[in-house]
Structure formats: C-alpha cells, structure tokens
C-alpha cells in the first residue's frame, strides 16, 4: 500500500451499504407545480426539478479495505474466524452508516489469495503463514455481508507484486514465483512478476477470471502498482524479455505497452466471463506534468507515464477500463500537485469517453503533518465541494478503512454531513448492461411500515418521500431519496407520500410505485 510518499507513491483499498434502511428523517418536499405547463410556468417547473448538486442521485461512495500487511483487515494475523468476521462487519457498518455504497477489498495482495484458490497459495495475512489454510473461505462472507448492506463489492488485485520476500526458497512450494522463477524479477527486497512476459499476463488474467467465475463480485479493481516505483531497488532487470519482445520499440514504450496489453486482456476476460462486472483502476494521480507533455497537468510531481509506465490516458481512450479512480492524495494549493489543478485535468480526460471518473481521497493523511492543510478538518470536505464544479466526477473513494473507523479530526463525519445527507444510487455504466426490474408490486402499509412484493432481478429498492402534489423530482436528484434498502420493506419515519422503485445489481431503476403512509 502507499504510505508516506506524498509525491512518489499512493494508496488503495475498498467497501459499501445496509439491509436496514438509512434513517434520514423527513425529505425536502420541494415546490408544488402542475404536471403540464407552458411559457414561464414551464420554466418554473424545469427549475424545480433541475438537479441540485448537493444531492446527486447517482454517486459512487466507497472505501478501500487493504489486507496487505494487515493495514485494515484483519487487524492482525492469527485471529479466530469469528473475530475476523466481527472486524469486517464493523467496517461495513461504519461505511453504511455514512451512506456509502461500495467497498474495494484487497483479495490478492501479492500473488496470494484471500480465498480458496487452486492457482495461488493462501495469503499470510490471515494466519501469519503463507500457504496455510485458514479453515474457511472468507470471500463468500465478505461479498454477502457487503451486498446485504447495499455495498457494491469490488475485488481488488495487485497484478505484478509477486512477494514481499525476495528469497524464492521461502515461498510455499505451490507459489507461481517458485514454480516459475523465470517469471520474476528481484527489485530491492521484493519479487515482481515481469510484465514483459506473455505467460505472466496469462497467469494474472487466469487468476482474475477464476474469481469472477466462482464468486459474486461486482467489480475487479487494480491499484496504482505496475512497474515498481523508482527508489532503492536499483535497476529493474527485464533486459532479456525486452530483447526478445521489443519489436523495435524503446524500453519505455515497450513497458507501457506491456501494461496496456494486460489491462486490455483483463478487461476482455472479465466482461466475457460476466458482462455486469465492472473493471477499473486507481492510477497514481499525475499522468504527466506539463514539463514532460504540454497536455499534462499543471503539476511537477512524479509522472506515472514515465516512472511506472502506467498510461491512464491510453486506457481511457481505448475503453479498456470502465472507470478510473486517480489517487489525488494532495491538498488544495500544494504547488507540485494541487488538487485544484488535478481534478479538472482528469475531468477533461474522461469527458465524452463513457469512462467514469471517481476520485481517490487521502483520508489516511488527515490529521498528519504531511502538509499543513491536512491538519484542518474541513480539507477533505472541501475537495468534494470543488468536485461539484465538474460533472464528470461521479464519486469518491477513501483510503482507508482504518481511518474510516478512527475518523481523524472527525473529517469523515464532516464529509457525511456536508455531502452525504442523502443516500445515492450507483452511477450507471451503460456498457455493463443490466435491465430495470419490474416495479415493486403490492405496495401497502402496515402501521408506519411500507411493504411490497420482491421484484424479480432486484437487488435493492430506492425509497423516496415526495410532495403530495406536483413534481416528485425523483429522477433529477436525491433530495427526496430517504433510503436504499435490500429487503421488501421500509419503516417510514413520517407520514406522507412515498415512491418505491426496484434496482438491479447495477442500479438500473424501475418505474415507480406510490404508497401513502397515513398519520398514526
């Protein structure tokens, strides 16, 4: 994971919602307007239902859950199954409480598995011993508990990190790096798979496809680690592969092409296996600086394109990702990497491409002295306020779950109060398909509780409290959205007119049904 490298590294992780309804109190009622209007009256009606940026109807809100080195979960190795479950549920409940709707859970930290696999050994971060069976397969539980709370589950893979131990002989006998020592390159005190080898790309793709086939994941996620970050590792020795496969390209172009090939290969395999599964990447926050490329950002930090051979512009233009989530782990006003300069740059990159843009936020830096800005509890919330200027920004994901629980400077509480006053549906990615379920049938009240018959194909339901007359505006924004629930009931907090819609796993939304909750 990325720890304390403000301009030379980054961080990644995952999480999201609850079967219990989100208790939000009364919804804003809005202004009553006639159904059909003309002239000035028509303009007034349009104004009433114009989207309110404070209450986006669709917005990804997620958290990374890192397992590598027990950063977030489990908190340490060797915990009992019940303790591991309890810790995970605590993270999910914290995310759901803050009206988040996604988690990004690291299931493959370093060519190891947080799930039962015939391709790679059990991760050491469960038991403390690499390759040791923990006695249960956590992944079905992790997925089910997230989805039970309305949280989309993204399986997070590190594609190239082979081992934190550079001694191949200490790896489990079945470890691919031990079975195929020619696949790996030693760099510093770690082992990396060589991205230039076709057999490495095949193996990584096979591992990911296996998970998509066997587990009900909603997404596949890569973090920012491609070729190793420059540092004390010396030279990354891929000379032999370069000589064999370069085809006339420079070393830098060849390396970028290797990464691009893997991403295109994974994209194709994931969507062929299950079209609804999203695939995206959280790249380092600076593609290139203007000093390297006039079309780059007005920054002067590390260039992912030149230093780790990650070309996010290529992935966006070629549509080999469904979303990008640049890790903008810097505050506003930082000269070398100003948040205010980077958000519009990324917004421009995705505009018109069909690729979603979410922002990776540095919750882990809040309260630290990395920069004076991080000592201010409002910095993170101010980032989201700035994001509203750019309609291409479809959400935010926070690193990491540990700080979601510790809530440094109460900054995440402030984000929730300022920006997550209402729940939000997930952004729709057209290419992933899906179909709106049938509207909920048989909606009725039993006391203050609204119930309905489950809709076939529905994973959850949106509940709105709307004006008794006039435009309901539930298609415009979330000002009247009071809950997203996974079961066919909702305990209404107040009497009034409610609208219920059914949502498929991608949050395609059905036509509404209306039900009135009478005064008690």
């Amino acid at each position: 994971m990325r720890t304390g490298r403000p301009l030379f590294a980054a961080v990644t992780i995952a999480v999201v919602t609850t079967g219990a309804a989100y208790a939000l109190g009364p919804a804003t009622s809005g202004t009553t307007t006639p159904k059909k209007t003309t002239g000035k009256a028509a303009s007034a009606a349009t104004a009433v239902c114009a989207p309110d940026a404070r209450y986006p109807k669709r917005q990804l809100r997620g958290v990374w859950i890192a397992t590598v080195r027990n950063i977030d979960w489990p908190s340490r190795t060797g915990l009992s199954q019940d303790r591991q479950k309890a810790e995970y549920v605590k993270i999910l409940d914290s995310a759901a409480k803050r009206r988040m709707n996604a988690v990004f859970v690291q299931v493959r930290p370093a060519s190891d598995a947080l799930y039962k696999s015939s391709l790679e050994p059990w991760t050491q971060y469960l038991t403390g011993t690499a390759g040791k069976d923990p006695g249960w397969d956590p992944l079905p539980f992790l997925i089910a508990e997230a989805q039970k709370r309305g949280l989309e589950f993204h399986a997070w893979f590190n594609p190239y990190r082979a081992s934190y131990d550079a001694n191949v002989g200490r790896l489990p006998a079945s470890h691919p790096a031990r079975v195929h020592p020619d696949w790996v390159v030693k760099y510093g005190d770690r082992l990396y798979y060589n991205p230039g080898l076709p057999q490495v790309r095949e193996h990584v793709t096979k591992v990911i496809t296996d998970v998509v086939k066997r587990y009900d994941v909603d997404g596949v996620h890569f973090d920012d680690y491609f070729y190793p970050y420059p540092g004390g590792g010396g030279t990354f020795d891929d000379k032999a592969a370069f000589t064999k496969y370069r085809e006339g390209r420079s070393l830098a172009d060849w390396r970028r092409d290797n990464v691009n090939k893997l991403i295109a290969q994974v994209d194709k395999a994931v969507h062929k296996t299950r079209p609804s599964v999203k695939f995206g990447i959280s790249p380092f926050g600076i593609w290139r600086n203007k000093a390297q490329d006039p079309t780059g950002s007005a920054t002067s930090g590390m260039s992912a394109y030149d230093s780790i051979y990650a070309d996010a512009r290529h992935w966006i233009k070629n549509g080999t990702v469904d979303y990008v989530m640049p890790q903008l782990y810097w505050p506003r006003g930082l000269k070398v990497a100003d948040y205010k300069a980077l958000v519009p740059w990324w917004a421009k990159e995705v505009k018109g491409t069909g690729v979603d843009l979410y922002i990776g936020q540095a919750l882990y830096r809040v309260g630290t002295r990395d920069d004076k800005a991080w000592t201010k509890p409002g910095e993170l919330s101010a980032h989201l306020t700035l994001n509203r200027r750019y309609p291409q920004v479809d959400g935010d994901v926070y690193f990491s779950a540990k700080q979601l629980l510790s809530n440094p400077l109460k900054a995440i509480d402030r984000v929730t109060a300022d920006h997550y006053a209402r729940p939000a549906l997930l952004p729709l990615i057209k290419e992933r398909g899906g179909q709106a379920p049938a509207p909920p049938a048989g909606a009725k009240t039993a006391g203050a509780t609204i119930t309905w018959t489950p809709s076939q194909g529905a994973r959850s339901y949106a509940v709105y409290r709307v004006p008794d007359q006039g435009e309901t505006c539930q298609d415009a924004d979330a000002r009247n959205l009071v809950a997203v629930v996974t079961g066919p009931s909702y305990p209404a907090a107040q009497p009034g007119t409610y609208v219920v819609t059914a949502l498929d796993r991608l949050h395609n939304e059905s036509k509404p049904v209306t039900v009135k909750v009478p005064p008690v």
Side-chain angles (χ1 to χ4, degrees):
M1 233 21 266
R2 348 184 215 307
T3 49
R5 296 174 288 171
L7 291 179
F8 304 101
V11 189
T12 30
I13 296 168
V15 163
V16 192
T17 114
T18 193
Y22 303 109
L24 298 174
T28 305
S29 60
T31 304
T32 299
T33 54
K35 286 288 182 183
K36 294 182 180 179
T37 52
T38 56
K40 291 181 180 179
S43 297
T46 302
V48 168
C49 283
D52 187 329
R54 295 172 300 169
Y55 308 113
K57 176 163 179 172
R58 294 186 180 274
Q59 183 180 54
L60 187 86
R61 304 168 179 175
V63 61
W64 278 293
I65 302 176
T67 59
V68 64
R69 295 186 166 180
N70 301 101
I71 289 176
D72 292 316
W73 182 85
S75 61
R76 58 183 173 85
T77 62
L79 296 179
S80 68
Q81 179 177 329
D82 286 346
R83 177 70 181 277
Q84 289 176 358
K85 288 181 174 181
E87 286 189 352
Y88 180 71
V89 165
K90 186 177 181 181
I91 293 170
L92 297 189
D93 286 345
S94 181
K97 174 185 175 183
R98 293 177 169 92
R99 302 181 194 105
M100 293 185 174
N101 55 19
V103 290
F104 296 76
V105 181
Q106 193 173 36
V107 301
R108 186 194 192 240
S111 194
D112 51 1
L114 200 79
Y115 56 91
K116 189 173 180 61
S117 173
S118 62
L119 301 174
E120 295 186 316
W122 282 105
T123 181
Q124 63 183 308
Y125 302 116
L126 292 173
T127 65
T129 302
K132 183 178 178 180
D133 190 332
W136 71 301
D137 183 348
L139 193 49
F141 173 82
L142 301 180
I143 294 169
E145 290 297 311
Q147 293 175 351
K148 185 190 299 183
R149 289 164 175 77
L151 299 167
E152 196 174 47
F153 186 96
H154 294 250
W156 164 19
F157 299 81
N158 184 286
Y160 295 129
R161 191 162 52 212
S163 174
Y164 275 98
D165 189 341
N167 188 332
V168 176
R170 286 198 288 259
L171 299 177
S174 63
H175 196 291
R178 190 165 178 179
V179 177
H180 303 282
D182 53 314
W183 287 6
V184 298
V185 175
K186 181 180 178 182
Y187 185 79
D189 58 355
R190 301 179 187 176
L191 293 177
Y192 294 85
Y193 287 120
N194 187 341
L197 299 178
Q199 51 269 49
V200 164
R201 295 193 289 270
E202 288 293 334
H203 175 72
V204 172
T205 303
K206 188 176 181 181
V207 166
I208 294 167
T209 304
D210 174 60
V211 170
V212 173
K213 279 182 179 177
R214 294 193 294 121
Y215 298 95
D216 188 27
V217 300
D218 298 303
V220 166
H221 180 72
F222 282 179
D223 56 24
D224 60 311
Y225 289 109
F226 295 99
Y227 279 83
Y229 275 85
T235 300
F236 188 80
D237 187 9
D238 55 356
K239 184 177 180 180
F242 176 55
T243 300
K244 184 174 182 178
Y245 297 110
R246 65 178 295 182
E247 297 177 350
R249 289 164 293 186
S250 69
L251 178 63
D253 285 344
W254 174 75
R255 285 178 172 174
R256 277 186 289 272
D257 187 58
N258 293 333
V259 174
N260 293 341
K261 281 179 177 176
L262 174 70
I263 290 168
Q265 193 169 325
V266 169
D267 176 70
K268 182 178 180 180
V270 165
H271 296 147
K272 181 179 179 181
T273 303
R274 244 181 336 119
S276 66
V277 173
K278 302 168 185 178
F279 173 51
I281 299 174
S282 55
F284 183 74
I286 299 172
W287 173 72
R288 295 189 96 186
N289 303 292
K290 283 187 178 294
Q292 287 110 21
D293 187 313
T295 66
S297 53
T299 52
S300 56
M302 191 196 84
S303 158
Y305 179 95
D306 298 286
S307 297
I308 57 174
Y309 310 100
D311 186 358
R313 175 179 281 177
H314 177 94
W315 315 331
I316 294 167
K317 285 189 172 182
N318 288 273
T320 50
V321 290
D322 292 311
Y323 67 83
V324 287
M325 192 192 300
Q327 296 172 26
L328 304 190
Y329 291 168
W330 309 292
R332 297 166 301 155
L334 184 66
K335 186 175 180 181
V336 293
D338 189 342
Y339 188 87
K340 293 185 293 184
L342 285 162
V343 171
W345 188 89
W346 284 98
K348 183 179 179 182
E349 287 299 301
V350 303
K351 187 176 182 179
T353 66
V355 173
D356 274 16
L357 172 63
Y358 316 128
I359 305 299
Q361 299 285 358
L363 177 59
Y364 77 107
R365 284 197 167 142
V366 174
T368 70
R369 298 192 178 277
D370 287 352
D371 185 277
K372 186 178 180 181
W374 293 124
T375 66
K376 300 175 181 178
E379 178 65 21
L380 212 56
S381 179
H383 288 193
L384 273 68
T385 301
L386 185 149
N387 291 355
R388 290 177 184 165
R389 303 179 195 171
Y390 305 97
Q392 293 79 21
V393 178
D394 284 319
D396 300 85
V397 179
Y398 301 89
F399 189 83
S400 71
K402 181 186 293 185
Q403 287 77 29
L404 186 70
L405 296 177
S406 64
N407 193 17
L409 304 184
K410 298 191 182 301
I412 200 67
D413 284 349
R414 184 157 177 173
V415 166
T416 302
D418 292 349
H419 302 282
Y420 299 163
R422 292 286 181 265
L425 307 190
L426 293 164
L428 282 177
I429 298 177
K430 183 175 67 174
E431 287 75 11
R432 300 286 58 80
Q435 184 175 1
K444 59 185 180 181
T445 58
T449 299
I450 305 169
T451 63
W452 55 88
T453 302
S455 299
Q456 185 175 0
R459 176 182 279 185
S460 54
Y461 303 88
V463 182
Y464 305 81
R465 184 172 182 267
V466 299
D468 289 330
Q469 297 179 0
E471 299 290 343
T472 63
C473 295
Q474 77 262 16
D475 288 336
D477 54 40
R479 76 187 82 172
N480 295 322
L481 181 64
V482 293
V484 178
V485 297
T486 57
S489 67
Y490 171 70
Q494 291 196 352
T497 301
Y498 288 80
V499 163
V500 182
T501 61
L503 308 168
D504 73 352
R505 69 184 301 141
L506 293 163
H507 280 195
N508 289 288
E509 188 173 31
S510 76
K511 293 181 179 179
V513 297
T514 302
V515 61
K516 287 186 178 289
V517 176
V520 177

